[in-house]
């Protein structure tokens, strides 16, 4: 893909694409996202040169969250309020040492 092609995908001229490519100027986050989309790569890969490590979740948590999504709205709100309370407690404890 040429600089002209990339420029056409993100809405700028090839000369400006060249300046970004040479690190003569830095793109805004919005422009970087357009570049990543045009190049069919993640923004992490564009910025860092590699994909971030996959997040690991405890076994079964995704299944439980899917089940929570099937609850009536009021029950779902209560579940998330309890989760939020525990997360706030953890942040407070971390701040207090």
């Amino acid at each position: 893909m040429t600089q002209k092609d990339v420029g056409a995908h993100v809405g700028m001229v090839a000369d400006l694409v060249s300046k970004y490519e040479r690190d003569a100027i830095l793109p805004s986050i919005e422009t970087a996202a357009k570049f990543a989309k045009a190049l069919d790569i993640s923004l992490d890969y564009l910025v860092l040169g590699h994909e971030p490590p996959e997040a690991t979740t405890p076994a079964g948590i995704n299944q439980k969250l899917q089940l929570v999504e099937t609850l009536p709205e009021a029950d779902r709100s209560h579940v998330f309020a309890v989760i939020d309370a525990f997360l706030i407690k953890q942040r407070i404890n971390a701040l207090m040492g």
Side-chain angles (χ1 to χ4, degrees):
M1 184 178 281
T2 67
Q3 291 173 346
K4 185 176 180 180
D5 294 334
V6 173
H9 282 302
V10 297
M12 65 181 61
V13 295
D15 184 51
L16 191 54
V17 173
S18 174
K19 288 180 182 180
Y20 287 125
E21 188 176 15
R22 290 181 285 119
D23 290 329
I25 56 175
L26 294 174
S28 67
I29 190 70
E30 293 83 9
T31 300
K34 288 179 185 179
F35 278 121
K37 185 175 180 180
L39 298 170
D40 195 28
I41 59 175
S42 73
L43 190 53
D44 287 317
Y45 188 81
L46 180 70
V47 174
L48 303 173
H50 59 82
E51 294 293 336
E54 289 293 319
T56 57
T57 56
I61 198 163
N62 290 332
Q63 293 166 339
K64 289 179 182 178
L65 287 173
Q66 288 175 347
L67 290 173
V68 168
E69 288 297 321
T70 66
L71 295 172
E73 177 60 34
D75 292 342
R76 196 169 45 233
S77 288
H78 288 96
V79 169
F80 288 125
V82 170
I83 292 171
D84 287 341
F86 278 107
L87 293 173
I88 291 168
K89 177 184 172 189
Q90 180 182 13
R91 280 188 233 137
I92 291 170
N93 287 339
L95 289 172
M96 298 184 79

